[in-house]
């Protein structure tokens, strides 16, 4: 194969072009640029709390500070305490690890299944493509959360199970995105050129088409993590998530729900704000990227 | 008109494979995964013989393929079967709960549009100003709010602190729904019965759950309306209207919004799935006796036929809405021909 063509579409040069585009974007896009920066800051902060919770959290998530049951926020307990004398601030900090872990793993899992299927289906076409598209469209059009509820209920609680339940519903997202792009990209001149110099199907697919899909996948991946965060939290809120003992925002909200009538606002408020902040971080990151890399994507 | 009819029929036929695929997935998920209804029903300590007899009775000892074919045959006769756990037809609880969910989603959608569309149009009109940025930020945040959390916050404010609105159920406990429940749509039923006291009671119970759905979903519509309005405001006929000296308000909210509404309408079909998912969570938060609560209850009981039935109905609802939206689209936009 022609080495210059190969070099142009290598991952390293792609990354270079990507960074160049982003650094240029600073000048042309005002607000979008700052939205993305804000998103990055939020995501990095949350990643920090997930990896080093002990730096910020004064207690362990399971620590019970005797005699402080259902205490309102104070200097000792910034976010107050729950019904089991546990410090809610520490539980929120430690909870970021759980939800980020599940959301990342689920988004990763759905992308490594959805992307290759979309590539092959879009490239191959024919009956295989039609059937697969029909299956994916059916899942896509159905309320994802309800499907995830059915999966999670049957699999039972557990970190791996909830990750599987969340990942299943996002496979069609990647499939549809990648397939749609492949359908246009495979008609491009440079693909024809590659074919004319004797490149095989797998070379065309993975060396010429795939690198051009990555930018869009990056955007959708970020937005998808935001969605997966919401789904994970919803599943654990309705009691289908994780076994007791793992600090989890959705579950903490559902426990706090029973103390709401007596005016205990801190048990639900803070985990909820954490979910919003985290999902917002990934949404802003994704949307900032989208505006900069592919302004038309989100309008479709 | 003939073309439209043909299109409608094709669209209806196209929903069949979708239903079939979803059903197959749900059937497999329920059968292949651990946990069975018989031990959920009889308890883990029931004698082996009793369990086997029960399985025989329910047809659970047959091969999965046979069970699957039987189930499909049943569905083809529009029969959802019998519940495995309770002595009732699957259709019985669904008939009872479906109106509650439809009522909730309908008013949720009304609030969504009432909040989202004007805000989005206003933001588009004031683009690149502080107000535009603020509304976009609202849209993004609203989209990221867990719907159950929003519900709990509204419960806290309007139910616990202010004590203005009830936070659970469709009516007050002392209100006898048998006095007016005819169609199951309580707002409509109470009007039919001319029972204004009951109407007010139903309305205030409906307010918080549907407002919750409306606020959370309005985020998507703010963004959609804004993006579409921006496109429309750039078009020639808006320029022409401005040139004729039509006032700015009329240009934006009449000429602009009317045309921006068509793409928004098409999105309504897609967003309906999100609305339904939101309704399930809202129902658990507000103890709303709808399909979502039914689904959750029966999942824990491992009542396969009812869970399948609920999923079929959800899938049907999604298809019907997207069909209606497509037909409406064809009716509104004279350029669309089938």
């Amino acid at each position: 194969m022609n080495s210059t063509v190969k070099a142009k579409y290598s991952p390293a040069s792609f990354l270079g072009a990507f960074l160049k585009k982003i650094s240029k974007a600073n000048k042309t896009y005002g607000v979008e640029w700052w939205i993305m920066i804000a998103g990055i800051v939020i995501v990095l902060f949350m990643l920090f709390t997930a990896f080093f919770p002990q730096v910020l959290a004064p207690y362990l998530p399971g620590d019970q500070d005797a005699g402080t049951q259902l205490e309102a926020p104070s200097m000792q307990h910034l976010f107050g305490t729950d019904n089991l004398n546990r410090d809610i601030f520490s539980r929120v900090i430690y909870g970021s690890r759980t939800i980020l872990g599940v959301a990342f793993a689920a988004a990763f899992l759905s992308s490594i299944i959805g992307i290759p299927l979309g590539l092959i289906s879009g490239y191959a076409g024919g009956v295989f493509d039609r059937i697969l598209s029909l299956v994916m469209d059916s899942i896509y059009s159905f309320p994802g959360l309800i499907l995830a509820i059915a999966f999670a209920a049957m699999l039972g609680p557990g970190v791996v199970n909830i990750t599987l339940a969340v990942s299943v519903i996002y496979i069609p997202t990647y499939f549809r995105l990648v397939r749609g792009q492949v359908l246009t990209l495979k008609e491009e001149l440079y693909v024809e050129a590659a074919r004319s110099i004797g490149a095989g199907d797998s070379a065309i697919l993975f060396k010429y088409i795939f690198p051009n899909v990555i930018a869009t996948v990056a955007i959708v991946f970020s937005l998808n993590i935001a969605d997966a965060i919401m789904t994970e939290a919803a599943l654990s809120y309705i009691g289908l998530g994780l076994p007791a003992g793992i600090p989890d925002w959705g579950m903490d909200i559902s426990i706090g729900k029973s103390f709401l009538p007596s005016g205990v606002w801190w048990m639900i408020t803070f985990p909820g704000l954490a979910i919003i902040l985290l999902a917002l971080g990934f949404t802003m990151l994704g949307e900032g990227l989208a505006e900069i890399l592919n302004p038309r994507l989100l309008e479709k | 008109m003939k073309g439209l009819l043909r299109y409608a029929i094709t669209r209806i036929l196209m929903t069949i494979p979708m239903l079939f695929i979803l059903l197959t997935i749900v059937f497999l998920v329920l059968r292949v995964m651990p946990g069975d209804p018989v031990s959920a029903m009889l308890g883990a300590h029931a004698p082996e013989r009793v369990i086997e007899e029960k399985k025989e009775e329910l047809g659970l000892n047959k091969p999965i393929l046979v069970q699957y074919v039987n189930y499909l045959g049943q569905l083809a006769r529009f029969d959802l079967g019998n519940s495995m756990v309770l002595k009732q037809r699957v259709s019985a609880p669904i008939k009872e709960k479906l109106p509650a969910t439809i009522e909730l989603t309908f008013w949720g959608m009304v609030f969504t549009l009432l909040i989202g569309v004007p805000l989005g149009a206003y933001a588009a009109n004031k683009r690149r100003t502080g107000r535009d940025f603020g509304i976009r930020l609202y849209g993004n945040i609203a989209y990221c709010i867990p719907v159950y959390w929003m519900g709990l916050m509204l419960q806290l404010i309007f139910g616990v602190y202010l004590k203005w609105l009830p936070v659970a159920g469709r009516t007050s406990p002392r209100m006898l729904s048998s006095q007016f429940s005819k169609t199951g749509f309580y707002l409509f039923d109470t009007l039919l019965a001319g029972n204004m006291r009951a109407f007010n009671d139903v309305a205030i119970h409906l307010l918080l759950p549907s407002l919750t759905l409306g606020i959370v979903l309005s985020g998507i519509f703010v963004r959609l309306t804004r993006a579409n309005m921006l496109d429309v405001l750039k078009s020639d006929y808006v320029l022409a209207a401005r040139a004729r000296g039509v006032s700015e308000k009329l240009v934006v909210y009449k000429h602009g919004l009317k045309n921006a509404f068509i793409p928004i309408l098409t999105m309504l079909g897609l967003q309906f799935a999100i609305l339904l998912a939101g309704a399930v969570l809202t129902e658990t938060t507000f103890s709303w006796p709808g399909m979502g609560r039914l689904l959750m209850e029966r999942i824990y009981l491992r009542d396969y036929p009812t869970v399948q039935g609920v999923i079929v109905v959800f899938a049907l609802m999604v298809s019907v809405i997207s069909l209606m939206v497509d037909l409406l689209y064809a009716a509104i936009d004279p350029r669309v021909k089938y």
Side-chain angles (χ1 to χ4, degrees):
Chain A
M1 190 185 293
N2 191 323
S3 63
T4 49
V5 175
K6 202 172 173 183
K8 198 178 171 197
Y9 292 100
S10 77
S13 68
F14 175 78
L15 190 71
F18 181 85
L19 290 175
K20 215 167 156 189
K21 202 167 182 184
I22 285 195
S23 60
K24 255 190 211 158
N26 191 7
K27 298 185 188 88
T28 23
Y29 303 85
V31 183
E32 281 73 24
W33 177 254
W34 289 109
I35 288 178
M36 193 177 76
I37 295 293
I40 291 174
V41 169
I42 296 173
V43 168
L44 284 180
F45 173 71
M46 287 297 194
L47 282 173
F48 177 76
T49 65
F51 281 107
F52 310 104
Q54 63 279 9
V55 176
L56 286 168
Y59 305 89
L60 286 173
D63 275 356
Q64 297 180 323
D65 192 358
T68 58
Q69 196 184 27
L70 294 176
E71 239 174 45
S74 64
M75 284 314 285
Q76 262 82 44
H77 300 285
L78 276 180
F79 291 175
T81 58
D82 67 5
N83 56 323
L84 296 172
N85 309 324
R86 294 177 299 195
D87 180 51
I88 292 173
F89 180 67
S90 305
R91 287 187 69 76
V92 169
I93 297 284
Y94 274 91
S96 63
R97 180 183 281 183
T98 316
I99 198 163
L100 270 173
V102 171
F104 259 111
F108 181 70
L109 203 61
S110 10
S111 63
I112 58 164
I113 299 172
I115 294 171
L117 282 179
L119 279 174
I120 295 166
S121 189
Y123 190 73
V127 183
F128 172 73
D129 177 46
R130 283 189 156 194
I131 292 176
L132 204 56
S133 299
L134 191 65
V135 172
M136 291 291 176
D137 284 351
S138 305
I139 302 176
Y140 185 78
S141 63
F142 193 74
L145 180 72
I146 296 173
L147 211 57
I149 287 176
F151 273 97
M154 294 307 136
L155 287 167
V159 178
V160 177
N161 290 351
I162 194 171
T163 307
L164 288 176
V166 174
S167 66
V168 168
I169 63 176
Y170 295 120
I171 294 172
T173 311
Y174 291 98
F175 173 85
R176 286 165 52 104
L177 175 82
V178 171
R179 178 179 171 272
Q181 298 236 312
V182 171
L183 288 184
T184 24
L185 287 175
K186 76 176 178 186
E187 307 297 332
E188 291 279 338
L189 202 59
Y190 65 81
V191 173
E192 210 178 306
R195 196 174 287 128
S196 70
I197 56 170
D201 280 342
S202 65
I204 290 175
L205 204 50
F206 290 100
K207 291 209 175 110
Y208 293 83
I209 294 182
F210 181 61
N212 290 291
V213 179
I214 297 176
T216 343
V217 167
I219 298 165
V220 171
F221 190 77
S222 180
L223 296 174
N224 181 212
I225 287 181
D227 262 2
I229 284 165
M230 306 290 286
T231 309
E232 193 275 350
L235 286 178
S236 46
Y237 169 73
I238 50 181
L240 290 171
L242 301 167
I246 300 177
D248 187 33
W249 297 341
M251 198 155 60
D252 281 0
I253 293 178
S254 85
I255 299 168
K257 189 184 163 192
S258 34
F259 300 97
L260 190 70
S262 37
V264 179
W265 55 271
W266 53 93
M267 273 183 80
I268 47 170
T269 307
F270 296 113
L273 288 178
I275 297 172
I276 297 171
L277 190 65
L278 188 53
L280 194 63
F282 280 103
T283 311
M284 286 162 91
L285 173 60
E287 278 183 5
L289 276 179
E291 291 274 357
I292 290 164
L293 293 175
N294 187 354
R296 304 271 332 160
L297 179 76
L298 290 181
E299 290 166 27
K300 278 178 195 160
Chain B
M1 198 60 213
K2 206 174 172 191
L4 191 66
L5 189 72
R6 185 160 4 128
Y7 174 72
I9 292 170
T10 339
R11 270 297 319 263
I12 293 169
L13 289 177
M14 268 168 60
T15 59
I16 293 175
M18 183 203 135
L19 277 175
F20 174 76
I21 288 163
L22 273 171
L23 261 180
T24 310
I25 293 172
V26 173
F27 187 91
L28 286 176
V29 168
L30 291 178
R31 294 303 196 280
V32 173
M33 309 221 170
D36 78 296
V38 178
S39 29
M41 206 182 338
L42 302 172
H45 301 295
E48 198 65 29
R49 192 178 49 81
V50 182
I51 290 182
E52 285 308 315
E53 271 172 17
K54 195 75 196 174
K55 277 193 175 165
E56 174 88 46
E57 185 193 323
L58 296 171
L60 284 174
N61 54 351
K62 291 188 192 123
I64 287 190
L65 198 63
V66 177
Q67 289 184 39
Y68 178 63
V69 172
N70 284 347
Y71 184 66
L72 287 186
Q74 209 178 44
L75 272 186
R77 298 191 300 270
F78 298 101
D79 179 8
L80 290 174
N82 295 314
S83 161
M84 269 186 190
V85 182
L86 304 176
K87 288 216 179 324
Q88 62 178 184
R89 309 277 303 158
V90 166
S91 48
I94 290 179
K95 259 183 212 146
E96 190 192 321
K97 313 278 183 187
L98 187 60
T101 297
I102 293 179
E103 200 167 41
L104 175 64
T105 43
F106 176 77
W107 289 103
M109 192 40 100
V110 169
F111 276 115
T112 305
L113 293 177
L114 281 181
I115 302 168
V117 173
L119 275 183
Y122 185 76
N125 190 23
K126 305 274 179 222
R127 69 187 165 283
R128 304 249 155 224
T129 64
R131 274 169 286 183
D132 173 33
F133 188 68
I135 292 173
R136 285 171 72 189
L137 193 65
Y138 162 81
N140 271 339
I141 293 177
Y143 180 71
C144 292
I145 299 177
V147 61
Y148 46 92
W149 186 81
M150 188 79 233
L152 291 172
M153 283 293 130
L154 291 179
Q155 285 184 7
L156 188 71
I157 297 167
F158 294 103
V160 179
Y161 289 150
L162 299 172
K163 297 191 172 39
W164 286 352
L165 295 166
V167 297
R170 293 181 80 185
T171 59
S172 306
R174 56 199 148 68
M175 200 59 74
L176 287 174
S177 58
S178 57
Q179 284 173 358
F180 51 80
S181 67
K182 233 181 211 146
T183 59
F185 300 100
Y186 283 3
L187 223 42
F188 184 64
D189 284 338
T190 47
L191 268 187
L192 268 187
N195 188 342
M196 280 325 279
R197 214 169 58 87
F199 178 81
N200 285 337
D201 186 60
V202 169
I204 60 166
H205 276 84
L206 190 59
L207 189 57
L208 276 191
S210 43
L211 188 63
T212 302
L213 269 179
I215 291 175
V216 171
L217 280 159
S218 67
I220 304 170
F221 281 83
V222 165
R223 192 165 79 195
L224 274 176
T225 314
R226 184 181 173 277
N228 285 314
M229 279 294 278
L230 284 181
D231 278 352
V232 169
L233 289 180
K234 270 184 245 152
S235 60
D236 291 343
Y237 54 82
V238 167
L239 190 68
R242 286 208 172 110
R244 287 200 307 274
V246 178
S247 78
E248 188 61 21
K249 250 189 198 148
L250 269 182
V251 168
V252 174
Y253 296 103
K254 191 173 164 225
H255 297 251
L257 195 54
K258 217 165 140 187
N259 287 290
F261 206 74
I262 293 172
I264 297 171
L265 186 74
T266 51
M267 287 305 287
L268 210 70
L270 275 180
Q271 302 308 331
F272 185 72
I274 299 178
L275 187 71
L276 267 188
V280 170
L281 292 172
T282 311
E283 283 177 12
T284 47
T285 306
F286 284 90
S287 313
W288 191 262
M291 298 284 284
R293 291 243 331 225
L294 180 69
L295 178 73
M296 295 306 300
E297 278 167 30
R298 298 305 166 94
I299 276 179
Y300 285 114
L301 293 174
R302 298 274 184 270
D303 185 357
Y304 299 158
T306 311
V307 172
Q308 278 160 193
V310 172
I311 304 256
V312 173
V313 174
F314 274 139
L316 266 178
M317 281 168 83
V318 173
S319 323
V320 167
I321 292 287
S322 88
L323 177 70
M324 270 163 52
V325 164
D326 276 10
L327 293 181
L328 204 61
Y329 185 49
I332 292 181
D333 191 339
R335 287 166 301 182
V336 180
K337 288 269 183 299
Y338 294 101

